[in-house]
Amino acid sequence: MHTVASILWRRLDAPGHDACRLERNDTAWQLDGAAVFSDPQGRHVQLHYRVRCDALWHTQWGTVRGWVDGENIDLSVTRNARGGWLLNDEAVPDLAHCMDLDLGFTPATNLIALRRLGLKPGEAADAPAAWLDADERSLGLLEQRYAQRSAGACWYEAPRFGYSALLNLTPEGFVSHYPERWLTAD
């Protein structure tokens, strides 16, 4: 793997940062990062994450390891050959239509759907994702919609959370400003 780009965000809704790098080789893309923040309950959180995608941006697997206060987190998500999802080797039903893994605590994984979709300005697409809630240690459905407004901006909707906003993007596809949540710290 060689590094294509890296980014550093700071949280806007609580103390915290997230650093991520995008890597690639001839057959795969990989996100490798670490988030350190205070969650809404005031607990201190430190999570290392890695998500691997094939050359066409189809998620293959992801890991999240770290801690929330005194509690350890060690999660593994894989997508099998039939498109099914597994959390720590246990099948999770009703997610086979999801192409992407979304890690709920970082803006890094929005890049996966954005890269896979390859939307041009004026185009829009639904991108349901397998959403990892590290706090609950669960994998569930996250309905998402992306509408590309320009090369550097995309309208994003996540009805599950009642959230919609215009996301600013870097040339590599990272979200540089995730309103009310994250902003690049560079």
Side-chain angles (χ1 to χ4, degrees), residues 1-4 22-30 55 57 115:
M1 290 280 178
H2 71 273
T3 301
V4 174
L22 172 62
E23 302 172 300
R24 80 163 300 170
N25 64 23
D26 292 339
T27 62
W29 293 92
Q30 184 168 283
W57 291 97
R115 284 285 194 107

Side-chain angles (χ1 to χ4, degrees), residues 7-53:
I7 193 165
L8 175 66
W9 294 280
R10 67 179 171 85
R11 280 190 68 149
L12 299 175
D13 59 341
H17 285 84
D18 187 337
C20 182
R21 67 181 176 188
L22 172 62
E23 302 172 300
R24 80 163 300 170
N25 64 23
D26 292 339
T27 62
W29 293 92
Q30 184 168 283
L31 293 173
D32 189 12
V36 179
F37 56 91
S38 292
D39 72 7
Q41 293 79 35
R43 300 175 299 176
H44 298 119
V45 180
Q46 180 267 331
L47 299 171
H48 290 266
Y49 58 91
R50 182 171 285 163
V51 179
R52 174 77 59 98
C53 298

